[in-house]
Amino acid sequence: MNINGRHYRTIWPVGDDAVEVIDQTKLPHRFRTVTLRSADDCARAISEMIVRGAPLIGATAAYGIALAMHDDASDEALDRAHDLLLATRPTAVNLHWALKRMCDALRNQPRSERVAIAWREAAAICDEDVETCRSIGEHGLKILREAGATKNGAPLNILTHCNAGWLATVDWGTALAPIYMAHDAGIATHVWVDETRPRNQGAALTAFELGAHGVPHTIIADNAGGHYMQAGEVDLCIVGTDRVTANGDVANKIGTYLKALAAKDNGVPFYVALPSSTMDWSLHSGREIPIEERSADELLIMTGRLPDGGLATVEIANPGSGAANPAFDVTPARLVTGFITDRGVCEAGPEGLRALLPK
Ligand code: MRU
């Protein structure tokens, strides 16, 4: 992704003892990077959502293990870093996937070689993520090309929820990759960007990305999607996911389920972009997915930009009222039209998934 003419990934190594990430808590108001020097730094960056999005959480955890090995390459240090990083966020299975891959690569290797192995493996996870997302983009592009061909030159209206773009991955994104490719291929596209309360990943991050790439888009309140679907102004939906279970159920940002219900009621195709690393064959159905509960402050307090450019944090709710804040929900497979994976597109169900993403 290019920002002001410079190509960025969301995470990159600095020398052999640090990694740098884009601070997503500051976007869209400030473009800042943060240097992470230890497994603790990586764990904090994930918990505080300096980095977020399932694939990027996995990539950051992988570098967290590499940084832990740099400090102490013992088995005990490996276990400690693994447990620390695993405890950061419960829903995205990419975290488990990346940590397991790092531990499998390191265990039984001589201590003297562990730093180099860990550094290489983390870099490979990042490079593969870029290729996976590029591939999702190419498969999704075929769907958008077909849909666009029915529009007689009018823009294809795509609704997305939360941020499953390049900021959520190492580059390209999952749900947004086909949109970037369609835009680059000259297919007229317009994106309805769900605001995505409470943390506003849509209004803050997806809109920032689409703006930087020049893709026409409109931010809408989370509750407006159903209305636009009824009015025939949404041609299809594409969202990302944090975990897909063996039966095809999808965990994604809170509110995804309501969008899928509205899409079903209005005959709007509802696609989920799914990298292989987000598939969880160990769980049978979405009911088993742990749903993260985050701080009530995310609902009760908001930070925004003042006219003078400064940032201010304000309370927006009745003082003293509590709030509940589940960060994800589960969309049943029956509401999903298809999965756009790095290995092709399939129906949302066990057979389709098994054919494309074998265990
Ligand atoms: O809480 P977040 O911002 O990490 O949630 C992100 C999402 O829900 C994304 O849709 C999902 O991780 C897929 S990212 C390619």
Side-chain angles (χ1 to χ4, degrees):
M1 170 54 65
N2 290 324
I3 303 291
N4 298 329
R6 180 174 160 193
H7 180 258
Y8 280 92
R9 283 184 172 188
T10 51
I11 185 165
W12 61 95
V14 181
D16 66 353
D17 62 354
V19 288
E20 203 153 335
V21 295
I22 296 167
D23 183 350
Q24 303 195 21
T25 64
K26 300 282 190 296
L27 289 171
H29 309 301
R30 309 267 191 271
F31 187 84
R32 298 270 189 276
T33 62
V34 176
T35 305
L36 310 176
R37 301 190 182 280
S38 64
D40 282 309
D41 284 356
C42 292
R44 204 171 316 111
I46 297 170
S47 306
E48 293 175 5
M49 294 179 68
I50 289 169
V51 294
R52 29 68 50 204
L56 181 57
I57 289 170
T60 308
Y63 272 116
I65 294 285
L67 292 168
M69 291 297 92
H70 194 271
D71 291 343
D72 172 358
S74 66
D75 282 348
E76 296 72 34
L78 181 59
D79 290 342
R80 245 193 335 268
H82 171 276
D83 294 352
L84 171 79
L85 290 156
L86 190 62
T88 50
R89 296 195 70 190
T91 304
V93 78
N94 305 60
L95 179 59
H96 300 246
W97 172 86
L99 288 171
K100 179 174 180 331
R101 181 164 157 179
M102 292 299 290
C103 290
D104 287 351
L106 289 165
R107 229 174 278 287
N108 304 322
Q109 297 297 332
R111 284 189 189 191
S112 58
E113 290 172 28
R114 284 186 175 179
V115 176
I117 294 171
W119 217 244
R120 263 202 315 274
E121 195 66 19
I125 285 174
C126 290
D127 290 347
E128 286 168 30
D129 185 65
V130 177
E131 283 318 303
T132 294
C133 289
R134 189 195 310 279
S135 188
I136 287 172
E138 280 159 5
H139 291 297
L141 173 60
K142 291 177 205 147
I143 293 172
L144 299 193
R145 208 184 277 287
E146 266 174 38
T150 67
K151 298 281 298 182
N152 294 323
L156 185 64
N157 288 305
I158 304 160
L159 182 141
T160 193
H161 191 67
C162 193
N163 171 263
W166 70 276
L167 285 165
T169 63
V170 177
D171 202 352
W172 280 106
T174 60
L176 296 193
I179 296 172
Y180 289 133
M181 290 191 187
H183 175 81
D184 293 348
I187 299 165
T189 49
H190 164 261
V191 184
W192 295 112
V193 178
D194 283 350
E195 174 189 31
T196 318
R197 284 284 290 146
R199 288 189 67 102
N200 296 322
Q201 288 96 327
L205 305 178
T206 297
F208 172 80
E209 281 194 25
L210 292 171
H213 200 98
V215 180
H217 61 280
T218 307
I219 298 166
I220 55 174
D222 288 323
N223 294 329
H227 164 74
Y228 283 116
M229 290 186 210
Q230 280 178 328
E233 298 204 41
V234 181
D235 296 304
L236 57 98
C237 305
I238 313 181
V239 299
T241 173
D242 287 77
R243 193 185 299 229
V244 171
T245 54
N247 68 342
D249 289 350
V250 172
N252 193 47
K253 182 52 54 194
I254 192 76
T256 302
Y257 171 49
L258 291 177
K259 291 296 134 64
L261 281 173
K264 187 74 165 183
D265 192 46
N266 290 283
V268 174
F270 190 91
Y271 288 98
V272 175
L274 166 64
S276 319
S277 53
T278 309
M279 187 66 218
D280 184 354
W281 288 108
S282 75
L283 300 186
H284 172 68
S285 95
R287 280 191 297 276
E288 299 160 64
I289 298 175
I291 299 295
E292 179 180 11
E293 182 75 28
R294 291 190 63 87
S295 164
D297 284 353
E298 292 184 350
L299 269 94
L300 305 175
I301 294 171
M302 261 186 150
T303 299
R305 191 176 46 224
L306 297 166
D308 69 1
L311 299 185
T313 298
V314 294
E315 289 180 19
I316 59 162
N318 179 52
S321 295
N325 185 16
F328 299 94
D329 59 22
V330 173
T331 299
R334 67 187 153 76
L335 300 179
V336 179
T337 307
F339 288 114
I340 306 171
T341 81
D342 42 306
R343 304 191 195 168
V345 177
C346 69
E347 277 181 21
E351 297 78 22
L353 286 169
R354 261 199 303 271
L356 278 188
L357 308 176
K359 287 182 194 182

